[in-house]
Amino acid sequence: MSLGARADEVRMRPDEFRLLRDLVNGHSGIYFGDESLPVLERRLRERLSALSLKTFGEYYQFLRFSSLNAAELDEALDLLTTNETYFFREDYQLRALRDEVLPKLAEDNAAKRRLIVWSAGCSTGEEVYTLAILIAESRLFDDWEVRVYGSDISRRCVAAARRGIYGASAFRAVGPEIRRGFFADKADGSHVIDRIRQLCHFGHLNLVDTDKVRVVGRVDVVFCRNVLIYFDQRSRKKVIDMFYERLMPGGYLFLGHSESLLNVSTAFELVHLSEDLVYRKPFFTVPPRVRGGT
Amino acid sequence: VEAKPGGDVTAREIDRDLQSPDPEVRRRATTVIPDLPPDQGADYVVRALGDDDWRVRKEAAQIALLLGPSARLLDRLVELLFPGDNVGLRNAVVETLASFGRSAIPAVTGVIPRLDADGKKLAAEILGRAQDPSALVALERLLDDEDANVRTAAAEAIGDLGSLAVDATSRILLRALEQGDLHMRLAALEGLNRLGVVIPWEKLRPLTGDPILRRSALAAASRTGRTEAADALARALADESPAMFRLALVGLAELVLAAETTLRIQALDARARDRLLEAMAPSAKDEGSRRAALVVAAVLGEPGAVDLAIDALTDDRLSREADAALRIFGSSALPRILARVAHGDATLRAAAIGRLRGLVDRQSEDAVRLALRAAIADLSGEVASAALAALGSLGGPEDIAAVFAVVAAKTPGSLPAARAALAALAKRHPEDARMTAQVARRDQASHIATSVIIGALGGGVLGTVADDVSFLGGALSSPDPETRMTAVEAVAEVGSDLGLDAILFALADEERDIQLSAVRALGRLRSKDGRAVGGDRLVELTRESSDPELVATAARALGATRDARARASLHPLAHSVSPLIAVAAVETLGRLDDPQRIETLLELTGHPHAEVVKAVLLALERVSDPRALAELGAALSHEAWDVRRLAADCLGRFGGDQAGRFLNDKLAVETEPLVREALSRALGAIEAPSTIRRPATIAPPKAEP
């Protein structure tokens, strides 16, 4: 950087990129390939201005050693992980849930009348509310204890998810009946109705912090779509093992359409549904490392 | 001469520089005296104490303290109490010997018989200022000295020692008051006044007629609690002397404030009344008189005093007496207070509302509630909060809906007060509160208020406990942090383990306060049969989390579980290198009835962080074990002065002969003034005197000009 350069002209050097990339990876498991240098540079540049720093090297030092580093790391992750999403995304998986998985769980859990679903990496909450709407629409769980947990590493995303107010673009894949039935249009956007909102609980969780994620308890279904693609192999394995541990025997794991557990040693069994392939924790548990990959 | 690294400064060099015409050279020479052999140093420091320049004398006094009370130095110093011309030197000697405390007392008392009257007066002053009860014997002997000035000085010095041995000094001073000559009686009376000793009115009454003793006798009269004393003080308000008026006014107010029932005071004559009104006027400059005048005027029922007292409620210097004045006026002050509640400065309105609770009676109840209902929606958070707090205790079932609405509105300035008021009303009127909550259960904006009611009543509000927990689970998904926080707290109050999952997930809330609140809730959460259900998770948290604040909060919450396993996990936490965690664990252990806590606490007295050691001392103070006492005694030698000071206070509260010996021994060698003060205070507390004292609470009377 030349002397007197403006903050919006600051360039990220390759060595600075590697330092920041490794720091983010160590904290969150998210891995940025070398091609992501411009992404990090663009998204983190505003933090340099906010902190009056001159180089990304200084920013790295701030993240490592400042007394405010934990809060700043949250800020950085907010900028690096925010991804736009929408209701009823990848609907073939949702149909699989509605038509095959939920009826099965209604049968399996009839005695305890309890259903817990977790959207891990829920961004601004669209997936969480989608799942809650599907459960409510099914009428299979009326008067059950139903919880849909949503967690994300970004505080801002969690706060936005809690608000439950959405603009038009979030509804690109939603039919008018759903919108009318489960949202209330107001001046500031479409509000999730209280009946659905009350099923949904949001938390700020880092998936690689396997101790802290235990607050989720045992769940029947995990949705973790288009999240693990950002993780390195080691972190992906750690998170998959954690999902295995959090799921009830017979519980289901939904990954994104481009994701699979290929090359990840796991005890999950693959279940062929009519429209999708999902993973299931066997009813009779075999330790994950004993069994080969799926 | 300059201090040399090897400390090899010679006496000749110091000798030369102490003769320099330049005071700065002499002062610098004084600073290196400690480098000399001790005996030689004593001689030179005495020389420097007699220097013409105050800076050199001040430096020498410091050096003398540094050298310590060696026999040689004490001998040299007490020699200087014999007649001499150097006044500065004698003052410096008094200063230095008094600073040596108990160590100087044998040397000073040993020389007294050979001293002249002036020397004995100085000796009495040293003994009084040395602040050690062992000087009392010699001082009592000086009360019988043939010289009146010596006797008076001894009585004054005994008064100075008073707080260290209240019973002994009071006995001696009361004897001196009855038997001594006029000046000694005055000194004794003033000593008793300084100690706040209650002297029977029968003994004082004859003294009030003596022109020399009258002033001090009337000051003492304020502590008697007797109507006759009040009459005497009221008569003194008519005295020509402004100082006597002030003394009588303050004394009368003290008498009124200390009285258990309202004292009656005879009506004042016109002149005294004018002076009273003048004294309580806002323009009056003497704060002590103004404070006293508010109280006395209230007893006399002066109508103008109500508004002045209301005005004074927000003045920190006057608020205590203003409050007392309004209490004396009682319900007759209510119309004026209610008039002030509606308009004017918000802080004053809030303060006025705060006084309503103590004054309301059956006749005024409706008017007060009406005023409070209007004020709970006030734009000023201060006024609204005060009104809510008052309505919480004075309100009826018909107020629940209005307070419920205020909670639901979540106005930032008044929300905490609104929550507390709603909880208080719900506890007093549970059925009405339940009905209000049931009607509003579907309204999302009201979730916070419904949660308050569930928390206050411990469940059973919307149906079964399960229904309440389910409702609170929904409230925990609210986008509003205050609603989630209230819901977490309410879940903890509902006696059911059904809420455990909801609280666990709140640990992942993005709001820090809610995370911490969830941790605390885990400690309080109980199953139907009263079993703590959050203990295991708290133990896990303390083991797994790297967040010191969260672990410290978990440590405190573990204490609330009253669970043996949870308690056991506090012991390793108390050894944490993080002072935040260690202090939390130590404080929690200290409050538990755990027989093993003493072992852990004893291990921690050597913790490198002073704050942890202080927490340990406070915990040990509550343990009735000789090992705890020994550790408290050892802490008097801790390197940090604030630890030593706390150890002294702890020993004072621990009590007993051994604690007294520790304190006395330390008092002999401690040089830090604040620690010495604490040692004296603790010794006074241990003595547990039987003498009745009533220390002055309003500014003490000024000396007559």
Side-chain angles (χ1 to χ4, degrees):
Chain A
M1 175 191 157
S2 62
L3 284 175
R6 285 170 27 196
D8 58 2
E9 293 169 349
V10 179
R11 308 310 300 253
M12 184 183 281
R13 297 200 314 263
D15 58 321
E16 293 170 331
F17 166 74
R18 281 191 293 275
L19 287 170
L20 286 165
R21 184 226 356 233
D22 293 348
L23 184 67
V24 169
N25 177 246
H27 179 72
S28 67
I30 299 167
Y31 185 79
F32 291 92
D34 289 347
E35 73 288 352
S36 302
L37 189 151
V39 177
L40 259 70
E41 181 184 85
R42 192 178 66 253
R43 292 192 180 183
L44 294 179
R45 196 177 265 149
E46 70 176 66
R47 298 309 303 156
L48 268 62
S49 303
L51 298 167
S52 302
L53 300 174
K54 293 196 181 75
T55 67
F56 284 98
E58 286 181 14
Y59 185 56
Y60 170 77
Q61 297 298 330
F62 190 94
L63 286 172
R64 282 293 307 276
F65 304 114
S66 162
S67 58
L68 305 171
N69 61 352
E72 184 53 34
L73 205 48
D74 277 349
E75 290 282 346
L77 286 166
D78 271 344
L79 294 169
L80 294 174
T81 59
T82 307
N83 287 296
E84 200 242 350
T85 182
Y86 50 92
F87 292 105
F88 288 85
R89 186 176 180 182
E90 293 173 4
D91 63 344
Y92 69 95
Q93 288 189 308
L94 300 173
R95 281 197 300 275
L97 174 78
R98 183 190 64 195
D99 299 339
E100 296 180 70
V101 172
L102 290 181
K104 178 80 170 78
L105 288 170
E107 202 180 304
D108 292 347
N109 293 359
K112 59 182 179 182
R113 297 176 67 78
R114 179 181 158 117
L115 177 72
I116 312 290
V117 179
W118 177 17
S119 165
C122 70
S123 189
T124 43
E126 289 87 340
E127 182 175 82
V128 178
Y129 293 120
T130 299
L131 295 171
I133 289 168
L134 282 174
I135 292 166
E137 267 198 317
S138 77
R139 307 300 306 267
L140 293 168
F141 306 95
D142 290 357
D143 297 325
W144 282 39
E145 183 190 346
V146 175
R147 290 168 194 268
V148 184
Y149 288 129
S151 72
D152 201 274
I153 197 167
S154 160
R155 275 178 203 278
R156 278 188 205 146
C157 282
V158 172
R162 275 192 203 283
R163 280 194 294 276
I165 305 171
Y166 297 94
S169 68
F171 294 93
R172 70 187 77 156
V174 177
E177 300 81 23
I178 293 281
R179 192 160 177 179
R180 267 199 307 273
F182 297 99
F183 296 88
D185 287 339
K186 295 187 181 172
D188 57 346
S190 297
H191 293 227
V192 178
I193 61 166
D194 291 350
R195 183 162 64 90
I196 295 301
R197 184 197 289 280
Q198 285 179 30
L199 303 177
C200 304
H201 302 263
F202 295 94
H204 175 234
L205 286 175
N206 177 353
L207 294 178
V208 297
D209 185 348
T210 48
D211 291 329
K212 195 170 174 191
V213 292
R214 292 167 69 182
V215 301
V216 175
R218 302 283 174 190
V219 301
D220 298 298
V221 182
V222 173
F223 265 72
C224 185
R225 300 189 295 173
N226 307 315
V227 173
L228 295 179
I229 46 171
Y230 298 109
F231 283 38
D232 66 288
Q233 183 72 10
R234 188 176 50 85
S235 305
R236 198 177 301 154
K237 165 80 176 127
K238 190 176 178 185
V239 172
I240 292 293
D241 286 349
M242 179 270 291
F243 286 154
Y244 189 90
E245 201 228 327
R246 291 292 95 204
L247 275 166
M248 298 276 198
Y252 294 86
L253 169 65
F254 284 76
L255 299 176
H257 72 277
S258 61
E259 298 166 310
S260 78
L261 298 187
L262 276 173
N263 305 320
V264 179
S265 172
T266 169
F268 279 107
E269 59 189 16
L270 193 58
V271 179
H272 292 263
L273 303 176
S274 56
E275 286 201 67
D276 195 14
L277 293 172
V278 297
Y279 295 93
R280 184 169 63 188
K281 179 174 177 173
F283 279 98
F284 301 102
T285 312
V286 178
R289 289 180 189 284
V290 174
R291 194 164 165 173
T294 54
Chain B
V1 59
E2 294 291 346
K4 296 170 188 169
D8 51 356
V9 64
T10 66
R12 206 152 54 84
E13 287 169 313
I14 293 176
D15 189 66
R16 180 197 65 212
D17 286 354
L18 282 179
Q19 294 179 49
S20 165
D22 181 351
E24 182 53 21
V25 172
R26 300 202 298 279
R27 191 192 65 77
R28 290 209 325 251
T30 307
T31 62
V32 293
I33 290 173
D35 290 350
L36 295 173
D39 282 355
Q40 246 182 341
D43 293 340
Y44 281 108
V45 89
V46 167
R47 225 172 101 184
L49 282 171
D51 198 280
D52 290 340
D53 190 278
W54 67 271
R55 284 165 299 185
V56 182
R57 292 201 300 274
K58 191 177 171 194
E59 189 71 59
Q62 292 295 320
I63 296 297
L65 277 181
L66 195 68
L67 293 176
S70 66
R72 171 81 177 173
L73 183 56
L74 289 171
D75 284 348
R76 294 284 286 112
L77 289 171
V78 296
E79 273 171 28
L80 297 165
L81 297 175
F82 287 95
D85 297 330
N86 189 337
V87 179
L89 174 61
R90 290 180 96 184
N91 288 343
V93 165
V94 169
E95 200 69 45
T96 307
L97 284 169
S99 303
F100 283 148
R102 185 199 295 180
S103 312
I105 291 171
V108 175
T109 52
V111 81
I112 285 175
R114 294 184 285 125
L115 293 175
D116 64 359
D118 282 345
K120 284 178 182 170
K121 271 172 59 189
L122 292 176
E125 188 183 340
I126 293 164
L127 293 175
R129 289 172 54 186
Q131 288 293 291
D132 190 282
S134 64
L136 214 47
V137 178
L139 285 169
E140 191 173 6
R141 213 175 293 135
L142 285 176
L143 286 177
D144 296 324
D145 195 88
E146 58 193 17
D147 187 284
N149 290 330
V150 173
R151 296 197 299 273
T152 305
E156 285 172 354
I158 290 169
D160 288 341
L161 274 184
S163 60
L164 295 172
V166 174
D167 277 347
T169 49
S170 302
R171 179 181 48 77
I172 295 168
L173 291 173
L174 284 169
R175 183 174 64 83
L177 185 63
E178 286 176 4
Q179 297 170 359
D181 57 74
L182 189 62
H183 289 285
M184 194 166 90
R185 289 164 78 193
L186 180 63
L189 195 48
E190 289 188 342
L192 290 163
N193 281 347
R194 282 204 297 281
L195 284 174
V197 173
V198 175
I199 306 167
W201 170 244
E202 287 69 24
K203 285 189 181 173
L204 287 173
R205 190 175 47 203
L207 310 183
T208 57
D210 185 297
I212 303 285
L213 299 176
R214 183 169 182 244
R215 189 177 168 280
S216 299
L218 284 172
S222 68
R223 301 191 294 276
T224 60
R226 294 277 291 271
T227 308
E228 298 92 318
D231 290 339
L233 287 162
R235 279 194 300 276
L237 288 174
D239 197 286
E240 287 297 321
S241 152
M244 183 58 84
F245 169 80
R246 185 188 192 281
L247 182 140
L249 186 64
V250 170
L252 206 45
E254 296 277 15
L255 199 66
V256 170
L257 290 173
E260 284 169 10
T261 54
T262 307
L263 277 177
R264 286 175 176 280
I265 304 175
Q266 60 197 5
L268 304 184
D269 67 21
R271 184 176 147 71
R273 181 170 179 258
D274 286 347
R275 285 165 78 174
L276 175 72
L277 299 180
E278 202 178 304
M280 74 174 177
S283 55
K285 291 200 173 69
D286 179 355
E287 180 193 311
S289 295
R290 203 174 150 211
R291 290 164 62 191
L294 282 172
V295 176
V296 173
V299 178
L300 291 166
E302 281 293 342
V306 176
D307 274 311
L308 289 176
I310 297 170
D311 286 334
L313 285 174
T314 53
D315 185 334
D316 288 343
R317 297 163 304 172
L318 303 168
S319 61
R320 176 176 160 269
E321 286 74 21
D323 201 29
L326 291 175
R327 270 188 281 113
I328 292 167
F329 275 113
S331 57
S332 69
L334 277 173
R336 289 305 308 145
I337 297 180
L338 288 174
R340 303 291 294 275
V341 162
H343 308 287
D345 171 66
T347 304
L348 189 60
R349 291 169 61 206
I353 290 170
R355 298 320 186 274
L356 289 172
R357 269 185 278 186
L359 304 176
V360 68
D361 56 15
R362 275 189 174 281
Q363 281 145 344
S364 56
E365 223 170 42
D366 288 344
V368 168
R369 281 183 182 163
L370 216 58
L372 292 176
R373 283 171 200 146
I376 61 172
D378 200 274
L379 290 176
S380 154
E382 208 174 354
V383 172
S385 295
L388 285 159
L391 205 57
S393 54
L394 297 175
E398 66 277 18
D399 293 309
I400 290 177
V403 177
F404 189 94
V406 176
V407 175
K410 298 188 281 258
T411 309
S414 57
L415 182 57
R419 274 195 292 225
L422 183 58
L425 287 169
K427 282 177 185 164
R428 285 212 312 282
H429 310 287
E431 274 315 310
D432 301 88
R434 274 190 198 103
M435 279 175 62
T436 307
Q438 284 165 10
V439 169
R441 68 179 301 175
R442 303 270 172 223
D443 173 24
Q444 204 198 357
S446 302
H447 281 186
I448 184 169
T450 303
S451 300
V452 169
I453 292 176
I454 294 173
L457 300 183
V461 170
L462 301 174
T464 63
V465 165
D467 292 332
D468 288 342
V469 173
S470 169
F471 172 86
L472 294 172
L476 276 167
S477 67
S478 166
D480 171 50
E482 291 290 358
T483 302
R484 299 204 299 279
M485 173 80 92
T486 308
V488 166
E489 285 165 4
V491 172
E493 299 306 322
V494 176
S496 165
D497 48 8
L498 294 173
L500 182 60
D501 284 350
I503 289 189
L504 283 178
F505 196 64
L507 292 171
D509 199 287
E510 70 275 20
E511 294 288 337
R512 182 66 165 172
D513 286 347
I514 296 173
Q515 287 174 18
L516 297 176
S517 190
V519 174
R520 286 189 286 270
L522 281 174
R524 300 205 304 276
L525 197 65
R526 297 281 183 281
S527 62
K528 221 183 277 181
D529 56 4
R531 193 172 38 85
V533 292
D536 287 347
R537 185 61 193 128
L538 285 171
V539 172
E540 282 171 18
L541 249 178
T542 60
R543 287 184 186 150
E544 293 162 1
S545 175
S546 55
D547 177 340
E549 192 184 14
L550 211 64
V551 175
T553 308
R556 292 184 196 280
L558 279 169
T561 63
R562 298 198 186 88
D563 173 75
R565 192 170 154 246
R567 264 191 331 219
S569 66
L570 284 168
H571 294 275
L573 289 176
H575 286 88
S576 169
V577 290
S578 157
L580 191 68
I581 296 171
V583 166
V586 167
E587 286 179 351
T588 308
L589 273 173
R591 280 193 293 274
L592 294 178
D593 184 22
D594 174 5
Q596 311 211 309
R597 72 191 191 282
I598 176 84
E599 313 295 341
T600 302
L601 294 173
L602 292 173
E603 285 164 17
L604 285 164
T605 51
H607 196 283
H609 204 288
E611 288 308 316
V612 180
V613 179
K614 283 157 80 175
V616 171
L617 297 183
L618 286 167
L620 284 173
E621 175 199 317
R622 291 192 288 268
V623 180
S624 169
D625 187 303
R627 289 172 297 169
L629 177 60
E631 285 300 332
L632 289 172
L636 288 174
S637 303
H638 195 276
E639 60 184 351
W641 71 267
D642 52 338
V643 173
R644 300 202 298 278
R645 182 174 63 171
L646 181 69
D649 284 332
C650 291
L651 281 165
R653 289 189 288 266
F654 198 96
D657 292 345
Q658 182 56 47
R661 279 192 286 278
F662 282 138
L663 291 163
N664 262 315
D665 291 348
K666 186 62 183 169
L667 191 60
V669 293
E670 177 63 57
T671 54
E672 170 60 44
L674 288 173
V675 183
R676 286 186 64 81
E677 187 185 275
L679 290 164
S680 301
R681 186 170 58 227
L683 279 166
I686 281 184
E687 197 196 15
S690 55
T691 308
I692 301 167
R693 297 166 75 191
R694 285 199 187 117
T697 56
I698 303 182
K702 288 173 185 163
E704 183 118 29

